[in-house]
Amino acid sequence: MTPRVSPILAILGLLWLVVVAGLAVLQPAALALSTVTAVLQFSTILALVALGQALVIVCGGAGIDISVGGMVSLAVVLAMLLVKAGLSGVFLPFLCLALGLLLGLVNGFLVTRLRLLPLIATLGTFYVYSGVAVALTGGAAQAGVPAFLLPWGRGTVWGLPLPFLTLALPPCSL
Amino acid sequence: VRAILQRFGQREALLTLGCIVSGLVFSSLSPYFATPDNLVTIARNSTELLLIGLGMTLLLGIGGIDVSVGSVLGLAAIGVGRLLEAGAPPALAALAGPVAGLALGLVAAFVVVFGRIPAIVATLGLLGVYRAGIFLALGGSWLSGLPVGLTNLLAARIFGAPVSLLVIALAYGAVFVAVRLTPFGAHLLAIGHSEAKARLAGIGVRRVQVAAFVISGGLSGLAASFYVATYRNVEMTIGATLALEAVAAVVLGGTAVTGGRISLLGTAFGVILLRLLQNGLLLVGVPSLWQPVVTGLLLLLVLGAEALSGRLLLERLYPSALGAASPRETR
């Protein structure tokens, strides 16, 4: 059997070329290295969330997790609040990770133990997660991430953002 | 066992109880809750969600969904608002809402039924397009201070009842008749149970699916007319939360998201309980920022409690039946 490119990948690739070509014609200035950096910076978050979503959907059984957006905000908001409450900033990444795991565990419990439909269970937790995140902060952005963490989020190597190199690239290249 | 489970599935009774209990709690906590003015406010705040929820009930009934209904309301509201601004007669503007909704419902039907794209994916795509459309049409500002003509028209009373109440009663009545007394209802539920079997049984599956999307769109457009009449403005975020709130209310009401089981009365009660809680909590002093949390918890509590009670009951009666009772257990 000859390996075949799936039609969806082909269409995506085509769309990609169209966008790049469109940019080249309409806004050539956008085709700078800095654009690549900026795009990769933003797409890292989406790539990580989508990677997890892929696992849920691949599991089948109408699996879907619509609470991921709320999960991202609640995990980071809770972690920041804990750091502001006096916890060392060193723990921030681990806190985010642990809180994310915990919130995912709640979804897993609802779906597998209570046997709620994934769509409905995560609709409920979406409301709860995102609502709590907004209510706890009053909708205000939380500043005060420890300075030593900033280079990891904002730094680049040859124009490639560090978060992309360290977080998005390794799992997605598997 | 099925009879007992069905009795547990009498969600309408549970929701009525929920409305009464929370009503009593709120009126004991706040002197403003049980006033006629406030009850009218709750009814008023429920209007759009009642109409959209009705359409969502039909869509979930066939195993479909439309997550773009809030934005359909938004686009239709912009149409209604622009007509009012241009000095069109209020009756014409009022009609423009449902007409725009029907047209957009047809678009959704076309994409889902003839494009054969799963409903949640297709309508998510439409949601993005419509949101962008709302943004472009409003250009970053609001439609505000719209003429009062439409407000006066829809605030009118016929035999003492507000027009909105009559329209809602009429809509629910019409759908009830269609579902209970015409083949449409049987076809709808059959498709929800199994599209393939419904097709084999000779049901015009596509026709029913298109009808459900178009009805849902029309109701969203109708809700848009009421929205504009009430608030006399159209803001950028219009209807952003409505689709998910509608799904929550409909599911609370006992309609199965997997299709094949619907409850119109349950939807109405689900919407009213949701709005009642939101209103009551606000009066008791809970900031409105917590409202989505309450919506989510309510959804999880009701469904979780039902799942638990159903399972415990089954375990006690038929320890071995548990595997067979849940078709989703087959992995």
Side-chain angles (χ1 to χ4, degrees):
Chain A
M1 231 169 72
T2 50
R4 218 166 53 88
V5 180
S6 83
I8 291 186
L9 268 184
I11 292 173
L12 267 182
L14 200 66
L15 275 177
W16 213 78
L17 286 179
V18 167
V19 169
V20 172
L23 268 182
V25 172
L26 298 174
Q27 194 64 269
L31 287 184
L33 188 61
S34 63
T35 311
V36 177
T37 309
V39 168
L40 286 181
Q41 204 131 36
F42 284 112
S43 51
T44 298
I45 298 172
L46 191 56
L48 289 175
V49 174
L51 189 66
Q53 187 74 267
L55 290 179
V56 177
I57 291 176
V58 158
C59 281
I64 192 166
D65 186 349
I66 54 176
S67 75
V68 285
M71 217 186 266
V72 171
S73 28
L74 183 56
V76 77
V77 158
L78 281 178
M80 271 312 292
L81 289 179
L82 283 171
V83 166
K84 282 190 165 175
L87 207 67
S88 163
V90 181
F91 295 119
L92 196 57
F94 306 103
L95 267 175
C96 287
L97 202 58
L99 286 164
L101 288 171
L102 197 68
L103 298 178
L105 189 65
V106 173
N107 282 339
F109 172 80
L110 292 171
V111 170
T112 59
R113 296 292 126 191
L114 290 188
R115 294 193 191 135
L116 300 185
L117 272 185
L119 177 71
I120 296 309
T122 57
L123 174 65
T125 53
F126 167 73
Y127 275 118
V128 176
Y129 295 167
S130 56
V132 170
V134 172
L136 281 180
T137 57
Q142 301 295 302
V145 175
F148 67 89
L149 275 174
L150 293 182
W152 183 29
R154 296 179 181 174
T156 54
V157 175
W158 302 318
L160 297 176
L162 270 179
F164 173 76
L165 288 174
T166 54
L167 294 177
L169 202 54
C172 289
S173 55
L174 281 180
Chain B
V1 176
R2 186 166 296 160
I4 299 170
L5 277 182
Q6 267 174 356
R7 201 157 53 82
F8 268 82
Q10 287 294 319
R11 205 74 70 82
E12 294 86 350
L14 190 66
L15 290 175
T16 316
L17 192 71
C19 285
I20 293 172
V21 170
S22 46
L24 286 176
V25 170
F26 287 134
S27 44
S28 70
L29 288 175
S30 163
Y32 303 108
F33 181 79
T35 56
D37 272 358
N38 191 48
L39 296 182
V40 168
T41 302
I42 295 176
R44 154 86 277 296
N45 288 343
S46 308
T47 308
E48 289 86 18
L49 198 54
L50 277 169
L51 290 171
I52 288 186
L54 181 59
M56 191 65 83
T57 309
L58 296 180
L59 284 175
L60 293 182
I62 57 168
I65 193 170
D66 187 347
V67 293
S68 73
V69 281
S71 308
V72 168
L73 179 142
L75 282 177
I78 292 174
V80 174
R82 290 269 189 247
L83 274 178
L84 285 177
E85 274 183 339
L92 184 68
L95 270 182
V99 169
L102 286 172
L104 293 174
L106 204 58
V107 172
F110 185 79
V111 176
V112 173
V113 180
F114 296 99
R116 291 169 185 271
I117 304 171
I120 189 162
V121 178
T123 57
L124 200 60
L126 289 177
L127 172 70
V129 175
Y130 293 167
R131 273 288 138 202
I134 291 173
F135 187 81
L136 289 175
L138 289 178
S141 63
W142 288 30
L143 292 187
S144 56
L146 293 170
V148 292
L150 184 63
T151 311
N152 294 337
L153 181 73
L154 293 185
R157 283 165 184 269
I158 301 174
F159 304 124
V163 171
S164 62
L165 202 67
L166 289 179
V167 168
I168 288 168
L170 211 64
Y172 273 76
V175 172
F176 181 83
V177 168
V179 166
R180 281 290 171 87
L181 303 179
T182 70
F184 177 72
H187 292 175
L188 192 92
L189 296 180
I191 294 169
H193 274 298
S194 165
E195 202 181 310
K197 286 175 191 165
R199 187 168 287 124
L200 287 177
I203 293 172
V205 171
R206 288 182 164 186
R207 206 162 36 88
V208 177
Q209 286 171 328
V210 169
F213 276 100
V214 170
I215 292 172
S216 168
L219 288 168
S220 307
L222 190 58
S225 293
F226 281 109
Y227 186 96
V228 174
T230 309
Y231 300 106
R232 292 207 287 126
N233 62 41
V234 179
E235 72 276 15
M236 289 294 301
T237 55
I238 182 170
T241 59
L242 274 175
L244 292 186
E245 276 184 318
V247 173
V250 171
V251 171
L252 273 181
T255 294
V257 243
T258 45
R261 176 159 58 92
I262 66 171
S263 169
L264 300 179
L265 205 57
T267 295
F269 285 154
V271 169
I272 290 168
L273 179 61
L274 206 60
R275 288 294 189 237
L276 190 151
L277 280 176
Q278 290 172 345
N279 172 281
L281 287 170
L282 208 59
L283 284 182
V284 172
V286 177
S288 64
L289 285 175
W290 287 96
Q291 276 183 4
V293 182
V294 175
T295 308
L297 283 180
L298 183 68
L299 190 64
L300 293 176
L301 273 179
V302 170
L303 295 183
E306 189 182 64
L308 269 185
S309 66
R311 278 190 71 193
L312 293 179
L313 198 75
L314 270 180
E315 270 167 4
R316 206 165 57 225
L317 294 176
Y318 289 90
S320 61
L322 205 54
S326 167
R328 264 178 294 123
E329 191 63 8
T330 50
R331 290 175 211 272

